[in-house]
Every structure is written in C-alpha cells, then in structure tokens.
Amino acid sequence: MSFLEVLKDYDRCRVAERIAAQTAADVERALGNERRHAEDLLALLSPAAEPFLEAMAQKAHRQTVQRFGRNILLYAPLYLSNECVNGCLYCGFSAKNQVPRRTLSFDEIEREARVLHDQGFRHILLVTGESPKALDNAFLAAAARRIRHLFSSISIEVYPMETEGYREMIDAGIDGLTIYQETYDAELYQRMHPFGKKRDFAFRLATPERGGAAGLRRIGIGSLLGLGDFRFEGFCTGLHALYLSRHFWRTQLTVSFPRIRPADGGFQPLSPVSDRHFVQLICALRLLLPDVGLVLSTRESAQLRDNLLPLGITQMSAGSCTAPGGYADKDHSTRQFAIDDDRSPAEVCRLIRARGYEAVWKDWDAAFLERAAGQ
Ligand code: SF4
C-alpha cells in the first residue's frame, strides 16, 4: 500500500477534531509510553499538550542524546539554478515573478563548491527550481560528478524524478534526496500550486518512495510551515516518516521544519506558526521518531536556533545563501527567500561547541559503500 492510500484514511477535518478532543490524560499517557504511535502524536500536537511543553522538551532532549549523542551535522545548500516553470505562490523563484534568472555553468558550480569546501563543509545539498530547458537529469548528474571529489555526501533538493532518475543520480555520486510535500492537505496543495508540473499532489507525495526504491541512502521530508494548520501537517509528517522508515529501513530518514520566509512575490503565511508551536512540533516529532534526524535551516533566527539545539535537532545548515552563485560573488539579488541566521559557518560552529555539542562536518564517506560492495 502506498503512502497516498494510507493518507486517504485521514480526513483533514476529522484529524483536526481528534486533535482538539485530546485531554491532559491523553498527553500524560503519550509522554509515559516507551514507544509511541500515531495516536500519541495526536495528543502531543494538541492544545492539551501546551502546558506540558517543558516535560516534552526534557524528554526530547534525553531521547536525542541517547540515540545521536551530542553531535550536530552541518551542511550547506548550493543553488545551481533559479529557473522554474512552476507557480508555487510562496516562492521567490515562481515563474510569475520577474526576477533575474540564472543557471550556473559547471565552472561556476565548481567555484561555489570550492568556497563551501574551504569553509569546512563536506555535506552539501544541490538545489534547483524545475525547468527541464535549463537543467535536467543529465546536467545534474554531470554537476555532481564535477564536484563529488570535494564532498563526502551530496544530496539534492530538486524536481521529483522517476525511480530510474534517482538511480542515475546514485551513479553520479548523489546519495540523498530532500523533498518537501509543502502541505499534506490535497485541496490546499492545489491552491498553492496553480500551474506547472508540481500541481500533481500524488506524484510529489510518492517521490520519497521512488527515491527509497532506487536505493538512496538519505531521504528528507517535511511540510512548509505556514501553509496548513501545523497540527495537521505535523501529524501527517509523522505518519509519512513512520511509513517510510518501515518500508525503507536501510535509508536514513530526516524531517525538516521550514517556516515560510519573506520572498519575492510577497506571500504571507496562511497559518502562521508561533515560536511556541514550532517548539511543540519539533518535540512531538522527536518523541514519535527517536531515530529520525531533525533538521533546522537558517530560515530561523540565530537566537531561536541556539535555543532549539538541545530539543532534538541533529542537523543544521550554516552560512546559507539561497541565490545561485551567491557564495563566490556575494550577489544575493536572485535569492529564493531571505535567511534569518546570517552567522558564518565558523561562528555557528563556535556556538555549537559553547553549548556542549560537537559540530560534525562529515558523518559518511562513499568509501564505506565501495568497501561493503567489495566484500
Ligand atoms: S518551490 Fe520549487 S518548484 Fe515551486 S516555484 Fe519555487 S523553485 Fe519552483
């Protein structure tokens, strides 16, 4: 059964009613359980859980240190192109926005990659819009081949592919995929994506399954916070993560928490998520998913990122630029959205250490795979 079929059993209004009906006793039971299930997530995301936030944070912290130690993996996005044929209402790269468009040449990609490498990064995320004319699978594979000697792990956050496409990516040295569903509410999804291939809710939803079937080693999911109600989106994200970890148990799963930021086009969040609810969401998902990596981006402020560090986060971006070519020439005029934490990677690293954690630049080497294959 695909996750699309699983999701069909969870009507948005019915889920909202069930979350609203949770009581303090339900929250206490969820907190007390050794292993937690979807029912517990309903309680942990509910308004009834808000007075228990401190207890949730303490458990989330203990659980994370037990499973992951005090390590925070650092990564950086590398934007290859801002060309896009889709019309996502919340995105600065939407085809409707009159912004300068740019796809980097392979020389420019290598220049950007070297800047990140010199800053210490060994994990990078290649990001593009969706424009088959500007950039296709062959381009992406060639870009990865050009820079793979510089990095231990290369992930992509690009247009959804077929399973065969992900196999081509693996051959080129790419080992991870990040794909946000944006919203698990199919109706809202249609409104947010008025035109372009991205309108296909079902195809996007099944993308992590195709990536898992191809054998990708890392898969990241998440919803764009500020579109739908965070409790419903958080619940569906939890269900999705449970489904993927059951079906692709060899794949390392991560969940990200992107909150909508200012972007060209001036989109305002439909359901703003407060800092308090943001913390509740992170703790609730950590308590449901003890082995899943939780990722925080530079969309959040430096102060909030510092405070969230002990609550379950295991990966962070640092020093990010969301404009193609922006690391080497500091031109941010074509950025996807504004970042909030603009500290340098070295500063973020110092802060992580000051908080008693270890900043990790590399937790994987492709040589592991080669050795395993040779045995
Ligand atoms: S979110 Fe992605 S697909 Fe949508 S407009 Fe932006 S770059 Fe294009």
Side-chain angles (χ1 to χ4, degrees):
M1 186 193 272
S2 70
F3 183 64
L4 181 65
E5 287 166 271
V6 173
L7 195 61
K8 281 188 177 143
D9 284 344
Y10 293 91
D11 170 72
R12 181 174 54 81
C13 297
R14 181 77 192 108
V15 169
E17 278 167 21
R18 287 173 68 195
I19 290 177
Q22 299 292 311
T23 64
D26 295 324
V27 180
E28 282 171 342
R29 188 206 59 235
L31 275 172
N33 284 346
E34 280 272 299
R35 291 193 59 197
R36 301 184 181 88
H37 304 282
E39 281 300 312
D40 298 314
L41 185 59
L42 289 174
L44 296 172
L45 286 170
S46 71
E50 290 180 23
F52 294 87
L53 210 49
E54 184 56 37
M56 285 171 66
Q58 282 178 18
K59 273 197 185 260
H61 168 71
R62 275 201 301 277
Q63 200 166 292
T64 311
V65 172
Q66 257 174 18
R67 304 289 179 125
F68 291 88
R70 290 176 172 269
N71 298 317
I72 303 289
L73 178 68
L74 293 177
Y75 74 96
L78 198 176
Y79 279 69
L80 305 185
S81 171
N82 64 358
E83 300 194 49
C84 193
V85 297
N86 289 319
C88 313
L89 296 184
Y90 46 79
C91 178
F93 292 172
S94 162
K96 282 221 154 162
N97 292 340
Q98 302 293 321
V99 293
R101 301 287 169 172
R102 184 173 180 199
T103 296
L104 302 185
S105 67
F106 292 125
D107 285 345
E108 288 171 322
I109 292 169
E110 186 165 351
R111 200 159 55 120
E112 290 284 280
R114 285 197 182 276
V115 173
L116 293 172
H117 180 269
D118 292 348
Q119 288 175 342
F121 290 106
R122 296 297 178 267
H123 281 241
I124 55 160
L125 178 65
L126 303 182
V127 187
T128 71
E130 180 163 341
S131 171
K133 231 172 58 197
L135 191 156
D136 58 10
N137 289 7
F139 182 102
L140 210 47
R145 288 200 165 91
R146 179 82 177 249
I147 61 172
R148 70 180 175 187
H149 62 288
L150 296 172
F151 300 101
S152 305
S153 174
I154 303 179
S155 290
I156 48 172
E157 186 181 333
V158 303
Y159 51 90
M161 295 176 192
E162 299 288 354
T163 307
E164 192 44 47
Y166 290 123
R167 290 204 184 99
E168 285 170 41
M169 298 302 115
I170 293 171
D171 286 347
I174 288 167
D175 64 329
L177 160 72
T178 295
I179 185 96
Y180 301 142
Q181 186 55 31
E182 320 296 13
T183 170
Y184 287 89
D185 174 349
E187 225 178 272
L188 178 61
Y189 187 94
Q190 293 303 312
R191 271 198 281 137
M192 292 298 104
H193 305 100
F195 61 86
K197 275 170 101 175
K198 192 164 168 181
R199 252 182 101 66
D200 190 339
F201 178 86
F203 188 68
R204 192 167 185 90
L205 191 67
T207 307
E209 287 159 66
R210 295 192 300 277
L216 280 166
R217 215 180 48 76
R218 298 177 191 264
I219 292 183
I221 60 168
S223 60
L224 183 57
L225 300 174
L227 295 184
D229 169 47
F230 86 95
R231 301 182 204 277
F232 173 75
E233 300 293 349
F235 180 68
C236 295
T237 305
L239 285 183
H240 200 178
L242 287 176
Y243 173 94
L244 292 170
S245 45
R246 266 198 302 271
H247 285 78
F248 305 102
W249 55 272
R250 287 167 179 241
T251 296
Q252 187 199 353
L253 202 63
T254 56
V255 171
S256 300
F257 302 92
R259 264 200 298 191
I260 288 180
R261 295 282 303 143
D264 286 316
F267 183 81
Q268 294 300 317
L270 305 177
S271 311
V273 180
S274 68
D275 285 355
R276 204 172 157 74
H277 285 158
F278 193 60
V279 169
Q280 184 180 2
L281 176 65
I282 291 175
C283 291
L285 285 173
R286 164 55 68 224
L287 293 172
L288 176 77
L289 308 163
D291 297 312
V292 166
L294 300 187
V295 186
L296 196 60
S297 78
T298 47
R299 288 168 179 260
E300 300 303 332
S301 70
Q303 195 197 8
L304 186 66
R305 284 188 4 130
D306 296 352
N307 292 335
L308 290 173
L309 204 59
L311 299 188
I313 298 303
T314 57
Q315 293 183 30
M316 272 188 175
S317 50
S320 301
C321 171
T322 67
Y327 291 114
D329 64 17
K330 303 283 175 223
D331 172 12
H332 293 192
S333 62
T334 54
R335 69 185 182 182
Q336 187 180 28
F337 55 83
I339 61 164
D340 202 342
D341 182 352
D342 57 6
R343 292 173 297 183
S344 70
E347 284 173 297
V348 172
C349 215
R350 272 198 296 280
L351 180 276
I352 289 173
R353 293 214 175 103
R355 294 268 164 144
Y357 282 75
E358 191 59 44
V360 176
W361 298 96
K362 167 179 171 166
D363 74 349
W364 166 255
D365 196 300
F368 296 147
L369 264 190
E370 283 153 22
R371 188 169 304 172
Q375 273 168 2

